[in-house]
Amino acid sequence: MENNELVSISQGALAIMNPTTPEKVLAAGRAAGLRAGSRVVEAGCGNGTILALWGREYGISGVGVEAREDACGRAEQTFRAAGIGDRVAVRCMDAREYVPDEPFDCAAAIGASHIWGGFAATLDALLGMVTDEGTIVIGDRCWRSDRTPPEFAREWPDILTEYEILGTVREAGLDVAAVIRADGNDWDRYESGIWQSVLSWLGDNPGHPERDFMIDYLHRLQDEYFGYSREHMGWAIFVLVPGFW
């Protein structure tokens, strides 16, 4: 099954396609200094929930960039429903190909580092979208410690520890203004939402040629989660600002 279709099936129904909450998303926006007039770009904006939250609460304007056409349509609906359709637009394209007409005040990638292949590459890409005084918001997976069993760590070679993320941020000339971590309940809610979406699809598509693949996919996700992810893998939103050094 094509990856974008798989993501749409497994996560398309989730309001926020990450193990976090609206309250934590708003806390990240507050730490990033978002306010009326701030221009924000979000790479991999999904169905637009995060930009909608920031638009309603802080009065931002900007652009969401999303490659999946079905998600682009939902994002447009989300922006209209939030009353920000005149301030926030969707660009339906690969974020790697997006070039802003002018730099933004803030660039975000919440659970979208896979677009560039990891935290460091994502940070570099987002820095190219903001002003010299711009802020960066990245939500990403991270290992809880540097003692993750090698057999698990090899499955996710692009994931860093939080301390490695800190070093990457400082090497880029930035400081961490805030870290907003997912807790166990956030993880359980997120993963369970994916499982329920896949189970719903299986119930609705008894004769689909990809049915066996989807069953295997569901079981593989659950094996990973119960086997090691729940214990060893974290997720957090990192709010990054220009360094004072």
Side-chain angles (χ1 to χ4, degrees), residues 37 43 109 133 154 168:
E133 298 78 29
R154 281 194 294 267
T168 300

Side-chain angles (χ1 to χ4, degrees), residues 140-145 148 152 155-156 159 182 187 191 224-225 228-235:
D140 207 359
R141 296 174 186 260
C142 51
W143 294 120
R144 294 184 183 274
S145 77
T148 302
F152 302 149
E155 295 291 322
W156 301 88
I159 293 180
W187 269 116
E191 294 289 343
E224 290 175 351
Y225 188 59
Y228 65 90
S229 293
R230 186 66 164 77
E231 179 179 358
H232 296 289
M233 189 178 290
W235 192 95

Side-chain angles (χ1 to χ4, degrees), residues 38-230:
S38 295
R39 296 182 63 253
V40 180
V41 59
E42 184 189 3
C45 71
N47 56 23
T49 300
I50 290 170
L51 285 174
L53 287 166
W54 288 346
R56 283 198 304 262
E57 185 73 13
Y58 303 119
I60 62 103
S61 61
V63 175
V65 186
E66 173 58 50
R68 294 180 298 115
E69 292 186 8
D70 60 315
C72 292
R74 285 194 295 272
E76 290 176 343
Q77 295 174 357
T78 299
F79 298 154
R80 287 195 297 269
I84 62 170
D86 59 334
R87 290 188 276 122
V88 181
V90 181
R91 294 292 300 274
C92 203
M93 62 183 296
D94 188 328
R96 292 171 296 184
E97 300 174 0
Y98 176 70
V99 179
D101 295 330
E102 58 181 307
F104 289 86
D105 301 304
C106 176
I110 311 297
S113 67
H114 61 276
I115 295 173
W116 290 280
F119 186 95
T122 299
L123 176 55
D124 184 62
L126 296 184
L127 281 171
M129 299 183 190
V130 296
T131 66
D132 291 341
E133 298 78 29
T135 57
I136 304 293
V137 182
I138 299 178
D140 207 359
R141 296 174 186 260
C142 51
W143 294 120
R144 294 184 183 274
S145 77
D146 60 2
R147 295 181 297 278
T148 302
E151 63 270 26
F152 302 149
R154 281 194 294 267
E155 295 291 322
W156 301 88
D158 58 325
I159 293 180
L160 306 176
T161 65
E162 286 191 328
Y163 193 60
E164 288 172 327
I165 286 174
L166 177 63
T168 300
V169 169
R170 288 178 176 170
E171 286 177 5
L174 305 176
D175 279 318
V176 178
V179 58
I180 303 165
R181 295 186 180 91
D183 61 25
N185 290 331
D186 296 332
W187 269 116
D188 289 345
R189 182 173 54 251
Y190 170 64
E191 294 289 343
S192 297
I194 292 174
W195 305 338
Q196 290 163 27
S197 293
V198 174
L199 287 166
S200 178
W201 185 91
L202 288 169
D204 293 339
N205 295 273
H208 198 282
E210 298 280 7
R211 179 179 176 83
D212 287 345
F213 169 85
M214 292 300 291
I215 293 172
D216 180 68
Y217 176 69
L218 170 66
H219 292 168
R220 187 167 69 252
L221 290 178
Q222 292 177 335
D223 287 345
E224 290 175 351
Y225 188 59
F226 289 111
Y228 65 90
S229 293
R230 186 66 164 77

